[in-house]
Each structure stands twice: as C-alpha cells, then as structure tokens.
Amino acid sequence: MSSERDSISEMPSNPIDKATADRLLAGMVSPADAPPGYAGLAAMIQAATGPASPTELARESAIVAAGVAAVTSISAPVAALARRQSMLAKLLPAKLAAAAVVAVLGAGTAAAAMTGSLPIQTSNASPHAKTGLATATSQLPTNTRATIATTITTTSASTTADQTTTTTASTSLTTAPTGTGPVAGMANGNATFGLCTAFLARSGGSGKDSSTAFKSLIAATGGSVSATTTFCKTYVADNHPGRTTTTTTAPTSSTTATTKPGKPASPGQSSSHVPVSIPSPNGDGSH
Amino acid sequence: VTPRVPIRHYGASMVIGVEFDGVLAAAQAGAEWAFVVLYRDFNPGLLRYFMAREPAFGEDLAAETWLAAAPQLQGFRGGETALRAWLFAIGRRRLIQHWRDADRRPSSPVDPETLGDGAGCDDTEAAALDASTAQAAARAIALALTPDQADVVLLRVLGGLDVEQVAKVLGKRPGTVRVLQHKAVRRLAGTFSLEALTQ
C-alpha cells in the first residue's frame, strides 16, 4: 500500500505548519478555508466526522443494558446470579457461555463466572469482575464474536423496534455550480463529494472492500463501476472546494464543521427520543 | 421515567461539554440515561475507527470495547477528552488482540466485480447511507496511509485526541506521532487533491 502511494506523497503540496495541521485534523478547517491543496482533505475529514446515523447506534439498547448491568453488578450482591451463571457455565461450553451471559446478564459477573473466580462477598466483587471480564473478552476467539453479535442483536431486537431515532437532514454545504448535482438519496452535496472522493481514492488504491455506500452510489449513478467513476470525476472536478471558491458557499450552516471544540452541541438540532426498556440489571429471578 | 436524551451529531467538535461531569457521575452510578449519552457521543467515532482499520469486524470490535470498558468505568477519573482517549485505548487493545487471534491475517478483500450489483437507493438504504459515507471516508483515509500513519490520523480525527493522547494510546513518543502526522497529512493532501482524483 505504501510503496504505490509514495509517488502521491511526493506530489507538491504546500507544507502547512503544526498549528494548521492540528486544526485541520480537529475538523476546524472548512474546505473553503483550507490552505491551497488541502481542500480535498478538509472535505474528507468533514465527511468522516459527519452526523451519527441510527445505523451506528443500532446496538444502543444492548450496550447500554450491558453497561448498566456491569456497573450495578459490581456494587450489588451477586450471590444469586452466581448460582445461575455456574449452571449456565456447566451447560454450555465455557466460552460460549461467557459470550452469551456477558450480553444477557451483565458483563462483570458473567466474566467472573467463566474464570471460576466469582466472588460471593460484595466487597470482593469489583476487582474480580473487572479482571474477569478483561480476561474473558481477550480470550474470545474470532468466531465467538459472531455469537456476541448475534446475542446482542437478539437481546436488543425487542427494544430497538420502538426506537424513534431519526437523522436530521444536514444542511447542504455546497452549491453545485454545474449540472452535476448530489446523488439522489444523499443528504447533501458535501456527502456526495466525500463519497465520490472515497470511491475514486479507493479505485486507485489497494482497497477493494465493498460498502453499502459504494453500492448505492453505483446504483444511483449508472449501475456500473465505470459509469460511477466517470460521474465522480466530473462531480469532484465541478465541486472540488479548491476550484469553486467563487461559486461555493462556505459551510457556515454546517452542523459539524463550524462548531468549535469545547462547546456543547447547539440545542434544537434534533430532539428525537429513545424509549429504552431494559431488563432489570439485577434481575435475580428473571433469567 | 425515561429521560429524554437528544441525538447528538457526531464529530470531533461535538462534545458533551459542561454537562460531562454530571453524565460521568451518573453513568458510574449505573444511570441508564447517562450510558445512552456516552454511547451516542462516543460510539460513532469508535465504530468508524474500527470500520476503517478492520471493516469485517468493526461492529463487533466496537461492542467488545464497550463491554470491556463498562466494568472499569467506576474507576475512571478525568474529563471528557480523557474518557475518549481511555475508550480508544481500550479499543486499540481489542483491535491488536483481534489481529493476534487472527494471526494478523488481513480482512478478506471483496471482489470489485460485486460492486456493480448494488440495489437501488430506497428509503432504508438512504438512512444507512450517511453512516456508510462517513465510514467510507474514514476507510479511504486509512487506505491511503501506512498503518501507523492511519492510526495517528484516525485517532486525531475520529477520537478528537491531541498528539500526547495519541502517543499514549499508540505507545509511541509524541515526537514520533508528530512525524507520522506530518507525513500523513502531506500524503492525504496529495491523495485527495483535485489532480489526483480526476486524472
């Protein structure tokens, strides 16, 4: 990967000082304000730090439940849970049991059960549970992770169905100066630019992995890799931040680009709420 | 009563801010709403990091990181950025362990021919598109760099970490991280330049 990219790295781009590089990587430099030669990178960083999507929070219910259970189980009596986890550990292969119990009953005590060091006294629970979980997760083989994933998905299925999470459509960052507009279904032109940039960079590099975004991009732009490549080259050329400085509006309304670190998110962006119904973390009789 | 927790837009610049101490204390006490806030703030960046470095296992690695972090949360002391660095440090260890388990095998590449048979952009896919776009961008950044450079840039961009924090997570000296960052930024500027993309 690196050797074939060396020629690119030698391309003349104006060096930037440390402070500018820091601001660029912190997402504090918009493409319009980027130094010459760095507008494309600034756009990519903006694309990579775009708003969270519901798909990126899909395991919220399960993870939150596991987190609450892990914390509360450390500071609560665990004797009742211990008996049930010991039974589980006998009935199932040890690692599978650990994976399942971690997701369902709570991480800390479950992992301790697997290691055979489950403490009965509350005062001893915390360090053992912590060590136990770290040990358990580190010992899980790759194929066991599928079990975790499946278990988490199953656990969260009933609750995620009620989620009302929505994505607030991003404000369009770029006014396209020509006829090549954003791809249908894309939230804004900046996303199209970022995706096209990623697609073109990927086509020329060693990365051949597929993604939903690439598939959708291809479907929306002609149905073939070559057609999409042509579209993206045209789109990037027409909408590149470094080229359209006179016709491109600065992303002043961006929800991600212009807020400085240290400031909380502006209120009123999105206010959807997630009703979360989680099994009792201390449920000593429900499992 | 389920507290109302707004969806926050992710980005290095989007943080919990002044509310953080209260959120952390509540999470350490086992408050569900506080875990929701932490998860929504940190998971997108964490997930994008893993999807950039190991796409086939990104979701699982993010979940494992939370499961490994939760039992240790009560012992954590520090501010929001420190928690972010702490979480990424745990995640980084999970990633390294994953590679050890897999004998450092890279993820299996996908035949580019299969890219052409994608489905159309219906509403469901459109909802997933923004996330995939962000992940594709992060992945493109990683692919343009050496692994060390990618880690530095991704931890800075997605984790919002400073050089010292990145150095700590990666077990390198800050000066080394600075050098890696300098080379990475130059390389990325060339990779994503107008000339490189349209030639």
Side-chain angles (χ1 to χ4, degrees):
Chain A
M1 162 164 60
S2 60
S3 60
E4 66 190 74
R5 295 278 175 168
D6 281 346
S7 59
I8 292 177
S9 69
E10 298 304 322
M11 289 184 66
S13 58
N14 300 324
I16 54 177
D17 57 40
K18 289 181 182 177
T20 305
D22 285 342
R23 292 178 63 246
L24 184 69
L25 294 175
M28 296 169 65
V29 177
S30 70
D33 296 333
Y38 290 85
L41 174 54
M44 285 299 286
I45 289 175
Q46 283 195 346
T49 56
S53 160
T55 61
E56 294 181 305
L57 303 171
R59 297 185 180 183
E60 177 177 292
S61 298
I63 296 296
V64 168
V68 171
V71 169
T72 54
S73 66
I74 287 171
S75 55
V78 294
L81 278 176
R83 285 191 295 273
R84 294 189 173 275
Q85 286 158 4
S86 296
M87 289 175 61
L88 259 181
K90 289 176 183 175
L91 292 172
L92 298 171
K95 289 179 180 178
L96 182 63
V101 176
V102 160
V104 176
L105 293 180
T109 53
M114 193 199 84
T115 61
S117 60
L118 193 74
I120 301 301
Q121 297 301 318
T122 304
S123 59
N124 294 330
S126 179
H128 282 283
K130 291 174 182 176
T131 307
L133 182 68
T135 305
T137 51
S138 67
Q139 290 177 347
L140 290 179
T142 299
N143 57 4
T144 309
R145 295 200 178 98
T147 307
I148 295 179
T150 305
T151 308
I152 288 176
T153 303
T154 304
T155 307
S156 62
S158 60
T159 52
T160 54
D162 294 332
Q163 287 193 359
T164 57
T165 51
T166 58
T167 334
T168 303
S170 303
T171 309
S172 179
L173 300 181
T174 307
T175 303
T178 69
T180 49
V183 175
M186 301 288 295
N188 58 54
N190 207 45
T192 303
F193 178 86
L195 188 55
C196 264
T197 301
F199 181 83
L200 292 173
R202 174 205 137 274
S203 298
S206 58
K208 301 297 183 186
D209 52 304
S210 175
S211 77
T212 303
F214 287 156
K215 288 179 179 176
S216 298
L217 179 68
I218 290 167
T221 57
S224 71
V225 172
S226 60
T228 302
T229 302
T230 302
F231 169 85
C232 281
K233 285 184 177 179
T234 304
Y235 189 89
V236 167
D238 288 345
N239 296 279
H240 195 282
R243 167 166 289 187
T244 59
T245 51
T246 58
T247 55
T248 303
T249 56
T252 52
S253 58
S254 167
T255 53
T256 60
T258 58
T259 305
K260 299 295 184 287
K263 294 181 180 178
S266 59
Q269 287 176 342
S270 172
S271 58
S272 56
H273 312 300
V274 180
V276 182
S277 61
I278 298 173
S280 169
N282 294 322
D284 53 1
S286 58
H287 295 288
Chain B
V1 176
T2 302
R4 294 185 170 185
V5 182
I7 294 281
R8 292 171 187 273
H9 286 255
Y10 173 75
S13 61
M14 309 304 282
V15 295
I16 299 172
V18 294
E19 307 164 20
F20 176 77
D21 287 348
V23 171
L24 175 63
Q28 289 174 328
E32 176 187 313
W33 67 267
F35 271 98
V36 170
V37 172
L38 295 178
Y39 177 81
R40 290 183 182 180
D41 250 30
F42 295 153
N43 195 63
L46 200 60
L47 179 59
R48 290 170 193 180
Y49 170 73
F50 287 129
M51 294 301 282
R53 298 293 277 119
E54 187 69 326
F57 297 92
E59 294 274 2
D60 292 341
L61 287 165
E64 288 175 22
T65 300
W66 284 105
L67 292 178
Q72 307 175 54
L73 187 64
Q74 285 186 322
F76 174 83
R77 298 290 181 273
E80 180 173 4
T81 309
L83 180 63
R84 199 183 293 269
W86 180 74
L87 203 56
F88 271 88
I90 294 173
R92 167 90 184 143
R93 287 197 292 272
R94 298 299 316 138
L95 181 62
I96 291 173
Q97 186 62 47
H98 163 79
W99 283 332
R100 285 177 181 157
D101 292 344
D103 292 325
R104 293 185 175 84
R105 283 195 306 270
S107 58
S108 57
V110 173
D111 185 346
E113 294 301 318
T114 63
L115 283 172
D117 60 358
C121 280
D122 59 20
D123 290 343
T124 305
E125 287 198 354
L129 206 50
D130 280 337
S132 297
T133 300
Q135 290 170 11
R139 178 72 171 152
I141 288 173
L143 288 173
L145 301 171
T146 67
D148 278 350
Q149 291 172 350
D151 270 337
V152 169
V153 170
L154 293 174
L155 289 172
R156 296 225 57 194
V157 170
L158 300 176
L161 309 185
D162 61 27
V163 167
E164 286 69 26
Q165 290 169 324
V166 171
K168 195 172 180 181
V169 170
L170 297 180
K172 298 181 185 298
R173 290 179 303 158
T176 304
V177 171
R178 281 279 181 201
V179 170
L180 287 168
Q181 172 181 304
H182 178 75
K183 291 180 178 177
V185 168
R186 289 290 301 273
R187 176 174 287 192
L188 289 172
T191 301
F192 301 127
S193 69
L194 180 62
E195 294 75 15
L197 292 170
T198 59
Q199 66 186 358

